[in-house]
Amino acid sequence: MADIDYLNWPFLEGRHRELAQSLDAWAAEHIAQGHDHDVDAACRALVKQLGKAGWLQHAIGGMAYGGASDAIDTRAVCLIRETLARHSGLADFAFAMQGLGSGAITLYGSEENKQEYLTRVGRGEAISAFALSEPDAGSDVAAMACAATLDGDHYVLNGEKTWISNGGIADVYVVFARTGEAPGARGISAFIVDAGLPGFEIAERIDVIAPHPLARLRFTDCRVPVSKRLGEAGQGFKVAMATLDIFRTSVAAAALGFARRALDEALARTTSRKMFGKTLADFQLTQAKLAQMATGIDAAALLTYRAAWQRDQGRRVTKEAAMAKLTATETAQQVIDAAVQMFGGLGVVSEQPVERLYREIRSLRIYEGATEVQQLIIARELLAEAVPRG
């Protein structure tokens, strides 16, 4: 790791520092940086690698099910995502989706659910997915149309989900559907749906600029046992938000990993690139940009690890996680863009590190709540905290 000073910040403990340094050494030996032409196969292989090496233990909660601890350690998750992102965007994705896809089971699953799924997810033997978004219901969860109707000891699912990461390769999906206990977000429930269940199909595979498995799902009279419901009926929005509260901060951490890698590449490029009898780094314009990049990264890192530390103390972090995600993803986009500019024409050559980072960072400003949604969340929390004036 080129700069490990931040590992000594008071938000982190000795075990976190050891974790980050061990993973960095492991990733340097085992993780390829480039995009693979067969992204499905690459993702499956990465999940198995991460599971076999023990890193996925940190993505699930419950030592009885193979987790590293009984509760998910947010700081550990963030450090793992940041470190993996610095090496490979797809490796970060593979780790993150094992956590996000099974997070609701960790938080709300029955003992039977946890025994059945978490152990396999933590070992990399089963791939998980989180199916919340729909064609007309992304940030506006209350607009969800996918419905589940109770029929004896089963729910019958009908509808579609889209932009589902790991769609098409996952073994288990946490699916949110309207069950109608109340209007809007209060009438949604969460379910575990196994791949291959009758009435469940992959309607479309979706290609995006940074390759990873993505799909549109379709449910047609798909029968799911009541025992696979997570939490109580009508608690689905609560289940989704609790899961996202754990992992939204880790999106900021992944952005930090991308940004740090971009700064490393920019420093190497500008100190070696000859121009007008000097190096590119000798020019004040370059120095000013490098200073902005480094300062932005540290500011984003402080917000990220503050939010992670607060959550590990059992505190509510809705506002802090939103601040971290907004700042880290927007900053990383700026840092990576600046790095591409410093590389000149080489910066837009396919599979150059900075070109790859340029494609990988873009989706982080959208998924798990777009930047504009984070701004709304922050403002809503501020207004709720405001003391009424007389």
Side-chain angles (χ1 to χ4, degrees):
M1 305 177 83
D3 174 15
I4 61 171
D5 286 348
Y6 71 99
L7 294 178
N8 294 312
W9 289 352
F11 297 125
L12 302 172
E13 301 171 19
R15 60 191 173 88
H16 295 120
R17 288 185 277 276
E18 292 175 8
L19 175 69
Q21 291 169 340
S22 296
L23 176 56
D24 186 59
W26 179 87
E29 183 178 351
H30 294 93
I31 300 296
Q33 294 175 357
H35 292 134
D36 198 286
H37 292 298
D38 187 343
V39 70
D40 287 2
C43 201
R44 288 190 183 100
L46 281 165
V47 170
K48 288 181 179 178
Q49 273 186 285
L50 292 167
K52 186 176 180 180
W55 305 116
L56 293 180
Q57 295 174 8
H58 298 276
I60 62 172
M63 295 178 71
Y65 320 109
S69 56
D70 282 330
I72 293 175
D73 184 329
T74 314
R75 287 169 291 174
V77 169
C78 286
L79 283 167
I80 290 171
R81 289 204 65 182
E82 177 180 337
T83 304
L84 288 174
R86 199 166 185 165
H87 287 273
S88 160
L90 193 60
D92 163 63
F93 167 84
F95 173 85
M97 285 312 305
Q98 288 298 93
L100 181 63
S102 66
I105 303 175
T106 290
L107 295 173
Y108 290 93
S110 66
E111 180 64 24
E112 182 183 355
N113 295 153
K114 291 177 181 179
Q115 291 284 1
E116 182 176 358
Y117 296 103
L118 292 184
T119 303
R120 291 192 294 136
V121 169
R123 290 176 179 168
E125 296 168 356
I127 295 176
S128 61
F130 185 81
L132 180 64
S133 296
E134 297 184 5
D136 295 314
S139 299
D140 183 8
V141 177
M144 185 177 295
C146 184
T149 305
L150 185 61
D151 180 20
D153 58 358
H154 284 74
Y155 280 90
V156 182
L157 268 64
N158 283 283
E160 291 192 353
K161 296 290 176 181
T162 194
W163 311 116
I164 307 306
S165 293
N166 276 348
I169 70 166
D171 301 291
V172 56
Y173 297 76
V174 171
V175 179
F176 297 83
R178 182 166 299 287
T179 44
E181 289 77 15
R186 293 178 296 166
I188 293 168
S189 299
F191 304 91
I192 302 171
V193 180
D194 293 306
L197 206 60
F200 172 31
E201 64 176 313
I202 304 301
E204 176 190 14
R205 294 300 300 271
I206 303 170
D207 293 326
V208 289
I209 58 174
H212 70 263
L214 198 70
R216 178 166 58 90
L217 319 179
R218 180 180 294 131
F219 302 93
T220 307
D221 295 331
C222 179
R223 297 179 66 83
V224 179
V226 171
S227 62
K228 297 295 180 75
R229 188 185 67 214
L230 295 167
E232 299 299 321
Q235 279 192 337
F237 183 76
K238 178 181 177 182
V239 172
M241 293 305 106
T243 306
L244 290 172
D245 260 358
I246 296 175
F247 292 98
R248 182 168 284 147
T249 303
S250 78
V251 179
L256 282 174
F258 291 147
R260 290 191 198 279
R261 177 62 187 274
L263 180 57
D264 289 346
E265 296 289 339
L267 287 167
R269 174 68 172 176
T270 57
T271 54
S272 61
R273 175 75 163 112
K274 302 297 183 182
M275 184 177 291
F276 303 117
K278 302 179 180 181
T279 65
L280 187 56
D282 290 325
F283 293 92
Q284 288 186 340
L285 280 172
T286 305
Q287 293 171 15
K289 183 58 70 174
L290 290 169
Q292 290 172 352
M293 294 161 75
T295 302
I297 290 171
D298 266 16
L302 285 163
L303 285 172
T304 300
Y305 288 104
R306 177 190 70 164
W309 173 81
Q310 283 187 253
R311 192 188 177 282
D312 285 342
Q313 309 313 302
R315 295 167 61 179
R316 186 170 178 267
V317 295
T318 301
K319 179 181 69 178
E320 291 79 6
M323 288 179 169
K325 182 183 185 296
L326 181 153
T327 304
T329 56
E330 292 294 325
T331 297
Q333 181 81 65
Q334 295 163 13
V335 168
I336 293 167
D337 184 76
V340 169
Q341 197 74 7
M342 291 174 184
F343 270 74
L346 190 60
V348 292
V349 173
S350 181
E351 288 303 317
Q352 280 290 319
V354 292
E355 183 272 343
R356 189 170 61 247
L357 289 166
Y358 193 84
R359 288 186 283 131
E360 287 172 335
I361 188 55
R362 191 58 186 86
S363 63
L364 272 68
R365 293 170 59 202
I366 297 172
Y367 76 69
E368 290 192 41
T371 292
E372 293 75 14
V373 172
Q374 303 311 315
Q375 291 172 326
L376 293 175
I377 291 171
I378 294 164
R380 182 192 67 200
E381 294 295 311
L382 286 172
L383 292 168
E385 294 167 2
V387 177
R389 299 180 183 273

mmCIF file of all heavy atoms in Angstrom, residues 159-198:
data_model
loop_
_atom_site.group_PDB
_atom_site.id
_atom_site.type_symbol
_atom_site.label_atom_id
_atom_site.label_comp_id
_atom_site.label_asym_id
_atom_site.label_seq_id
_atom_site.Cartn_x
_atom_site.Cartn_y
_atom_site.Cartn_z
ATOM 1 N N GLY A 159 -43.904 -9.977 -11.200
ATOM 2 C CA GLY A 159 -43.326 -8.675 -11.486
ATOM 3 C C GLY A 159 -41.888 -8.781 -11.940
ATOM 4 O O GLY A 159 -41.393 -9.876 -12.237
ATOM 5 N N GLU A 160 -41.213 -7.630 -12.000
ATOM 6 C CA GLU A 160 -39.834 -7.585 -12.489
ATOM 7 C C GLU A 160 -38.931 -6.786 -11.557
ATOM 8 O O GLU A 160 -39.392 -5.906 -10.818
ATOM 9 C CB GLU A 160 -39.777 -6.961 -13.887
ATOM 10 C CG GLU A 160 -40.385 -7.821 -14.970
ATOM 11 C CD GLU A 160 -40.050 -7.309 -16.373
ATOM 12 O OE1 GLU A 160 -39.458 -6.206 -16.485
ATOM 13 O OE2 GLU A 160 -40.367 -8.015 -17.343
ATOM 14 N N LYS A 161 -37.663 -7.109 -11.621
ATOM 15 C CA LYS A 161 -36.599 -6.341 -10.980
ATOM 16 C C LYS A 161 -35.544 -6.060 -12.044
ATOM 17 O O LYS A 161 -35.369 -6.861 -12.970
ATOM 18 C CB LYS A 161 -35.969 -7.128 -9.823
ATOM 19 C CG LYS A 161 -36.917 -7.418 -8.675
ATOM 20 C CD LYS A 161 -37.261 -6.149 -7.924
ATOM 21 C CE LYS A 161 -38.280 -6.409 -6.826
ATOM 22 N NZ LYS A 161 -38.619 -5.162 -6.116
ATOM 23 N N THR A 162 -34.832 -4.945 -11.908
ATOM 24 C CA THR A 162 -33.798 -4.638 -12.904
ATOM 25 C C THR A 162 -32.583 -4.013 -12.251
ATOM 26 O O THR A 162 -32.626 -3.606 -11.087
ATOM 27 C CB THR A 162 -34.356 -3.728 -14.013
ATOM 28 O OG1 THR A 162 -33.442 -3.727 -15.119
ATOM 29 C CG2 THR A 162 -34.575 -2.312 -13.527
ATOM 30 N N TRP A 163 -31.491 -3.932 -13.005
ATOM 31 C CA TRP A 163 -30.190 -3.464 -12.529
ATOM 32 C C TRP A 163 -29.698 -4.322 -11.362
ATOM 33 O O TRP A 163 -29.061 -3.827 -10.431
ATOM 34 C CB TRP A 163 -30.230 -1.978 -12.095
ATOM 35 C CG TRP A 163 -30.857 -1.061 -13.079
ATOM 36 C CD1 TRP A 163 -31.992 -0.336 -12.923
ATOM 37 C CD2 TRP A 163 -30.381 -0.768 -14.407
ATOM 38 N NE1 TRP A 163 -32.266 0.385 -14.058
ATOM 39 C CE2 TRP A 163 -31.299 0.136 -14.988
ATOM 40 C CE3 TRP A 163 -29.281 -1.205 -15.153
ATOM 41 C CZ2 TRP A 163 -31.154 0.627 -16.277
ATOM 42 C CZ3 TRP A 163 -29.135 -0.722 -16.445
ATOM 43 C CH2 TRP A 163 -30.057 0.185 -16.984
ATOM 44 N N ILE A 164 -29.977 -5.608 -11.411
ATOM 45 C CA ILE A 164 -29.630 -6.479 -10.299
ATOM 46 C C ILE A 164 -28.228 -7.057 -10.489
ATOM 47 O O ILE A 164 -27.982 -7.875 -11.383
ATOM 48 C CB ILE A 164 -30.668 -7.611 -10.132
ATOM 49 C CG1 ILE A 164 -32.086 -7.023 -10.036
ATOM 50 C CG2 ILE A 164 -30.334 -8.457 -8.913
ATOM 51 C CD1 ILE A 164 -32.265 -5.963 -8.960
ATOM 52 N N SER A 165 -27.307 -6.614 -9.640
ATOM 53 C CA SER A 165 -25.938 -7.116 -9.678
ATOM 54 C C SER A 165 -25.907 -8.584 -9.280
ATOM 55 O O SER A 165 -26.628 -9.016 -8.380
ATOM 56 C CB SER A 165 -25.061 -6.301 -8.725
ATOM 57 O OG SER A 165 -24.918 -4.980 -9.186
ATOM 58 N N ASN A 166 -25.072 -9.337 -9.966
ATOM 59 C CA ASN A 166 -24.985 -10.799 -9.864
ATOM 60 C C ASN A 166 -26.187 -11.486 -10.496
ATOM 61 O O ASN A 166 -26.321 -12.707 -10.412
ATOM 62 C CB ASN A 166 -24.807 -11.289 -8.422
ATOM 63 C CG ASN A 166 -23.357 -11.260 -7.977
ATOM 64 O OD1 ASN A 166 -22.452 -11.096 -8.789
ATOM 65 N ND2 ASN A 166 -23.129 -11.396 -6.686
ATOM 66 N N GLY A 167 -27.057 -10.709 -11.136
ATOM 67 C CA GLY A 167 -28.188 -11.299 -11.838
ATOM 68 C C GLY A 167 -27.714 -12.247 -12.924
ATOM 69 O O GLY A 167 -26.916 -11.855 -13.777
ATOM 70 N N GLY A 168 -28.180 -13.469 -12.894
ATOM 71 C CA GLY A 168 -27.780 -14.454 -13.883
ATOM 72 C C GLY A 168 -26.745 -15.431 -13.387
ATOM 73 O O GLY A 168 -26.594 -16.524 -13.943
ATOM 74 N N ILE A 169 -26.001 -15.063 -12.309
ATOM 75 C CA ILE A 169 -25.014 -16.005 -11.765
ATOM 76 C C ILE A 169 -25.270 -16.317 -10.294
ATOM 77 O O ILE A 169 -24.664 -17.233 -9.747
ATOM 78 C CB ILE A 169 -23.560 -15.504 -11.939
ATOM 79 C CG1 ILE A 169 -23.273 -14.309 -11.030
ATOM 80 C CG2 ILE A 169 -23.250 -15.192 -13.387
ATOM 81 C CD1 ILE A 169 -21.785 -13.992 -10.916
ATOM 82 N N ALA A 170 -26.156 -15.558 -9.643
ATOM 83 C CA ALA A 170 -26.400 -15.764 -8.219
ATOM 84 C C ALA A 170 -27.148 -17.065 -7.964
ATOM 85 O O ALA A 170 -27.952 -17.516 -8.781
ATOM 86 C CB ALA A 170 -27.178 -14.590 -7.634
ATOM 87 N N ASP A 171 -26.883 -17.649 -6.806
ATOM 88 C CA ASP A 171 -27.594 -18.842 -6.354
ATOM 89 C C ASP A 171 -28.784 -18.478 -5.477
ATOM 90 O O ASP A 171 -29.740 -19.240 -5.370
ATOM 91 C CB ASP A 171 -26.645 -19.744 -5.559
ATOM 92 C CG ASP A 171 -25.436 -20.168 -6.377
ATOM 93 O OD1 ASP A 171 -25.621 -20.953 -7.322
ATOM 94 O OD2 ASP A 171 -24.318 -19.698 -6.080
ATOM 95 N N VAL A 172 -28.714 -17.304 -4.843
ATOM 96 C CA VAL A 172 -29.779 -16.870 -3.942
ATOM 97 C C VAL A 172 -29.972 -15.366 -4.071
ATOM 98 O O VAL A 172 -29.001 -14.600 -4.149
ATOM 99 C CB VAL A 172 -29.448 -17.271 -2.482
ATOM 100 C CG1 VAL A 172 -28.097 -16.732 -2.038
ATOM 101 C CG2 VAL A 172 -30.535 -16.802 -1.532
ATOM 102 N N TYR A 173 -31.233 -14.938 -4.142
ATOM 103 C CA TYR A 173 -31.596 -13.536 -4.294
ATOM 104 C C TYR A 173 -32.467 -13.100 -3.107
ATOM 105 O O TYR A 173 -33.394 -13.821 -2.725
ATOM 106 C CB TYR A 173 -32.401 -13.320 -5.576
ATOM 107 C CG TYR A 173 -31.666 -13.628 -6.853
ATOM 108 C CD1 TYR A 173 -31.455 -14.951 -7.263
ATOM 109 C CD2 TYR A 173 -31.192 -12.609 -7.681
ATOM 110 C CE1 TYR A 173 -30.794 -15.246 -8.437
ATOM 111 C CE2 TYR A 173 -30.532 -12.901 -8.867
ATOM 112 C CZ TYR A 173 -30.329 -14.212 -9.240
ATOM 113 O OH TYR A 173 -29.672 -14.511 -10.416
ATOM 114 N N VAL A 174 -32.170 -11.947 -2.537
ATOM 115 C CA VAL A 174 -33.089 -11.325 -1.578
ATOM 116 C C VAL A 174 -33.950 -10.370 -2.387
ATOM 117 O O VAL A 174 -33.453 -9.394 -2.956
ATOM 118 C CB VAL A 174 -32.337 -10.589 -0.458
ATOM 119 C CG1 VAL A 174 -33.307 -9.760 0.388
ATOM 120 C CG2 VAL A 174 -31.599 -11.595 0.429
ATOM 121 N N VAL A 175 -35.234 -10.676 -2.468
ATOM 122 C CA VAL A 175 -36.165 -9.970 -3.357
ATOM 123 C C VAL A 175 -37.200 -9.217 -2.522
ATOM 124 O O VAL A 175 -37.761 -9.769 -1.564
ATOM 125 C CB VAL A 175 -36.884 -10.957 -4.297
ATOM 126 C CG1 VAL A 175 -37.877 -10.230 -5.198
ATOM 127 C CG2 VAL A 175 -35.862 -11.726 -5.141
ATOM 128 N N PHE A 176 -37.468 -7.972 -2.916
ATOM 129 C CA PHE A 176 -38.452 -7.136 -2.231
ATOM 130 C C PHE A 176 -39.694 -7.007 -3.109
ATOM 131 O O PHE A 176 -39.591 -6.755 -4.310
ATOM 132 C CB PHE A 176 -37.858 -5.762 -1.935
ATOM 133 C CG PHE A 176 -36.676 -5.832 -0.996
ATOM 134 C CD1 PHE A 176 -35.404 -6.117 -1.478
ATOM 135 C CD2 PHE A 176 -36.846 -5.654 0.371
ATOM 136 C CE1 PHE A 176 -34.325 -6.219 -0.616
ATOM 137 C CE2 PHE A 176 -35.772 -5.749 1.240
ATOM 138 C CZ PHE A 176 -34.511 -6.039 0.753
ATOM 139 N N ALA A 177 -40.861 -7.201 -2.478
ATOM 140 C CA ALA A 177 -42.109 -7.174 -3.244
ATOM 141 C C ALA A 177 -43.218 -6.573 -2.389
ATOM 142 O O ALA A 177 -43.200 -6.659 -1.156
ATOM 143 C CB ALA A 177 -42.496 -8.581 -3.692
ATOM 144 N N ARG A 178 -44.188 -5.985 -3.080
ATOM 145 C CA ARG A 178 -45.319 -5.362 -2.391
ATOM 146 C C ARG A 178 -46.279 -6.439 -1.883
ATOM 147 O O ARG A 178 -46.761 -7.274 -2.645
ATOM 148 C CB ARG A 178 -46.034 -4.402 -3.347
ATOM 149 C CG ARG A 178 -47.201 -3.663 -2.721
ATOM 150 C CD ARG A 178 -47.658 -2.506 -3.586
ATOM 151 N NE ARG A 178 -46.592 -1.527 -3.780
ATOM 152 C CZ ARG A 178 -46.170 -0.682 -2.837
ATOM 153 N NH1 ARG A 178 -46.728 -0.692 -1.642
ATOM 154 N NH2 ARG A 178 -45.211 0.174 -3.101
ATOM 155 N N THR A 179 -46.571 -6.404 -0.575
ATOM 156 C CA THR A 179 -47.506 -7.356 0.019
ATOM 157 C C THR A 179 -48.772 -6.664 0.526
ATOM 158 O O THR A 179 -49.707 -7.342 0.955
ATOM 159 C CB THR A 179 -46.837 -8.136 1.165
ATOM 160 O OG1 THR A 179 -46.067 -7.233 1.989
ATOM 161 C CG2 THR A 179 -45.903 -9.205 0.617
ATOM 162 N N GLY A 180 -48.792 -5.334 0.501
ATOM 163 C CA GLY A 180 -50.034 -4.600 0.680
ATOM 164 C C GLY A 180 -50.549 -4.392 2.087
ATOM 165 O O GLY A 180 -51.723 -4.070 2.280
ATOM 166 N N GLU A 181 -49.694 -4.517 3.110
ATOM 167 C CA GLU A 181 -50.167 -4.299 4.482
ATOM 168 C C GLU A 181 -50.535 -2.846 4.739
ATOM 169 O O GLU A 181 -51.347 -2.545 5.618
ATOM 170 C CB GLU A 181 -49.096 -4.734 5.496
ATOM 171 C CG GLU A 181 -48.879 -6.231 5.591
ATOM 172 C CD GLU A 181 -48.072 -6.782 4.433
ATOM 173 O OE1 GLU A 181 -47.441 -5.971 3.698
ATOM 174 O OE2 GLU A 181 -48.068 -8.008 4.253
ATOM 175 N N ALA A 182 -49.891 -1.936 3.980
ATOM 176 C CA ALA A 182 -50.145 -0.504 4.125
ATOM 177 C C ALA A 182 -49.720 0.153 2.824
ATOM 178 O O ALA A 182 -49.053 -0.456 1.987
ATOM 179 C CB ALA A 182 -49.358 0.062 5.312
ATOM 180 N N PRO A 183 -50.106 1.428 2.615
ATOM 181 C CA PRO A 183 -49.699 2.117 1.376
ATOM 182 C C PRO A 183 -48.194 2.367 1.335
ATOM 183 O O PRO A 183 -47.524 2.394 2.362
ATOM 184 C CB PRO A 183 -50.479 3.439 1.438
ATOM 185 C CG PRO A 183 -51.514 3.256 2.500
ATOM 186 C CD PRO A 183 -50.963 2.263 3.464
ATOM 187 N N GLY A 184 -47.692 2.577 0.132
ATOM 188 C CA GLY A 184 -46.311 3.010 -0.056
ATOM 189 C C GLY A 184 -45.289 2.036 0.491
ATOM 190 O O GLY A 184 -45.444 0.819 0.420
ATOM 191 N N ALA A 185 -44.233 2.594 1.088
ATOM 192 C CA ALA A 185 -43.105 1.788 1.545
ATOM 193 C C ALA A 185 -43.467 0.875 2.708
ATOM 194 O O ALA A 185 -42.741 -0.075 3.004
ATOM 195 C CB ALA A 185 -41.947 2.704 1.942
ATOM 196 N N ARG A 186 -44.568 1.140 3.382
ATOM 197 C CA ARG A 186 -44.929 0.320 4.544
ATOM 198 C C ARG A 186 -45.614 -0.985 4.155
ATOM 199 O O ARG A 186 -45.899 -1.806 5.023
ATOM 200 C CB ARG A 186 -45.835 1.124 5.481
ATOM 201 C CG ARG A 186 -45.119 2.304 6.152
ATOM 202 C CD ARG A 186 -46.078 3.081 7.016
ATOM 203 N NE ARG A 186 -47.144 3.698 6.206
ATOM 204 C CZ ARG A 186 -48.259 4.207 6.710
ATOM 205 N NH1 ARG A 186 -48.484 4.154 8.018
ATOM 206 N NH2 ARG A 186 -49.157 4.765 5.921
ATOM 207 N N GLY A 187 -45.856 -1.206 2.886
ATOM 208 C CA GLY A 187 -46.522 -2.427 2.447
ATOM 209 C C GLY A 187 -45.635 -3.317 1.617
ATOM 210 O O GLY A 187 -46.092 -3.960 0.660
ATOM 211 N N ILE A 188 -44.348 -3.387 1.959
ATOM 212 C CA ILE A 188 -43.366 -4.163 1.202
ATOM 213 C C ILE A 188 -42.774 -5.230 2.126
ATOM 214 O O ILE A 188 -42.558 -4.976 3.318
ATOM 215 C CB ILE A 188 -42.261 -3.240 0.655
ATOM 216 C CG1 ILE A 188 -42.844 -2.288 -0.400
ATOM 217 C CG2 ILE A 188 -41.094 -4.046 0.074
ATOM 218 C CD1 ILE A 188 -41.921 -1.163 -0.788
ATOM 219 N N SER A 189 -42.499 -6.408 1.597
ATOM 220 C CA SER A 189 -41.855 -7.481 2.364
ATOM 221 C C SER A 189 -40.631 -7.996 1.606
ATOM 222 O O SER A 189 -40.493 -7.768 0.402
ATOM 223 C CB SER A 189 -42.835 -8.629 2.624
ATOM 224 O OG SER A 189 -43.954 -8.190 3.378
ATOM 225 N N ALA A 190 -39.747 -8.676 2.332
ATOM 226 C CA ALA A 190 -38.508 -9.201 1.755
ATOM 227 C C ALA A 190 -38.524 -10.721 1.785
ATOM 228 O O ALA A 190 -38.990 -11.323 2.771
ATOM 229 C CB ALA A 190 -37.307 -8.675 2.524
ATOM 230 N N PHE A 191 -37.988 -11.335 0.723
ATOM 231 C CA PHE A 191 -38.014 -12.785 0.584
ATOM 232 C C PHE A 191 -36.674 -13.317 0.081
ATOM 233 O O PHE A 191 -35.973 -12.638 -0.671
ATOM 234 C CB PHE A 191 -39.103 -13.214 -0.412
ATOM 235 C CG PHE A 191 -40.475 -12.708 -0.069
ATOM 236 C CD1 PHE A 191 -40.923 -11.487 -0.582
ATOM 237 C CD2 PHE A 191 -41.303 -13.429 0.763
ATOM 238 C CE1 PHE A 191 -42.186 -11.007 -0.265
ATOM 239 C CE2 PHE A 191 -42.571 -12.960 1.091
ATOM 240 C CZ PHE A 191 -43.020 -11.749 0.573
ATOM 241 N N ILE A 192 -36.365 -14.545 0.492
ATOM 242 C CA ILE A 192 -35.235 -15.266 -0.088
ATOM 243 C C ILE A 192 -35.771 -16.100 -1.243
ATOM 244 O O ILE A 192 -36.692 -16.897 -1.059
ATOM 245 C CB ILE A 192 -34.574 -16.196 0.946
ATOM 246 C CG1 ILE A 192 -34.090 -15.397 2.163
ATOM 247 C CG2 ILE A 192 -33.419 -16.961 0.308
ATOM 248 C CD1 ILE A 192 -33.624 -16.281 3.316
ATOM 249 N N VAL A 193 -35.210 -15.890 -2.428
ATOM 250 C CA VAL A 193 -35.645 -16.628 -3.614
ATOM 251 C C VAL A 193 -34.449 -17.371 -4.200
ATOM 252 O O VAL A 193 -33.437 -16.751 -4.552
ATOM 253 C CB VAL A 193 -36.258 -15.684 -4.675
ATOM 254 C CG1 VAL A 193 -36.699 -16.487 -5.893
ATOM 255 C CG2 VAL A 193 -37.430 -14.906 -4.091
ATOM 256 N N ASP A 194 -34.559 -18.673 -4.270
ATOM 257 C CA ASP A 194 -33.472 -19.482 -4.825
ATOM 258 C C ASP A 194 -33.498 -19.444 -6.352
ATOM 259 O O ASP A 194 -34.571 -19.482 -6.968
ATOM 260 C CB ASP A 194 -33.599 -20.930 -4.368
ATOM 261 C CG ASP A 194 -33.383 -21.091 -2.875
ATOM 262 O OD1 ASP A 194 -32.339 -20.632 -2.391
ATOM 263 O OD2 ASP A 194 -34.262 -21.662 -2.194
ATOM 264 N N ALA A 195 -32.319 -19.366 -6.955
ATOM 265 C CA ALA A 195 -32.222 -19.454 -8.413
ATOM 266 C C ALA A 195 -32.791 -20.798 -8.863
ATOM 267 O O ALA A 195 -32.626 -21.816 -8.190
ATOM 268 C CB ALA A 195 -30.773 -19.326 -8.854
ATOM 269 N N GLY A 196 -33.467 -20.792 -9.996
ATOM 270 C CA GLY A 196 -34.023 -22.030 -10.529
ATOM 271 C C GLY A 196 -35.409 -22.353 -10.031
ATOM 272 O O GLY A 196 -36.005 -23.353 -10.455
ATOM 273 N N LEU A 197 -35.946 -21.507 -9.137
ATOM 274 C CA LEU A 197 -37.303 -21.741 -8.653
ATOM 275 C C LEU A 197 -38.284 -21.562 -9.813
ATOM 276 O O LEU A 197 -38.160 -20.626 -10.600
ATOM 277 C CB LEU A 197 -37.612 -20.728 -7.539
ATOM 278 C CG LEU A 197 -38.650 -21.098 -6.475
ATOM 279 C CD1 LEU A 197 -38.233 -22.346 -5.712
ATOM 280 C CD2 LEU A 197 -38.848 -19.919 -5.522
ATOM 281 N N PRO A 198 -39.284 -22.451 -9.964
ATOM 282 C CA PRO A 198 -40.252 -22.303 -11.062
ATOM 283 C C PRO A 198 -40.926 -20.933 -11.030
ATOM 284 O O PRO A 198 -41.322 -20.444 -9.965
ATOM 285 C CB PRO A 198 -41.265 -23.419 -10.782
ATOM 286 C CG PRO A 198 -40.487 -24.449 -10.031
ATOM 287 C CD PRO A 198 -39.524 -23.676 -9.175
#
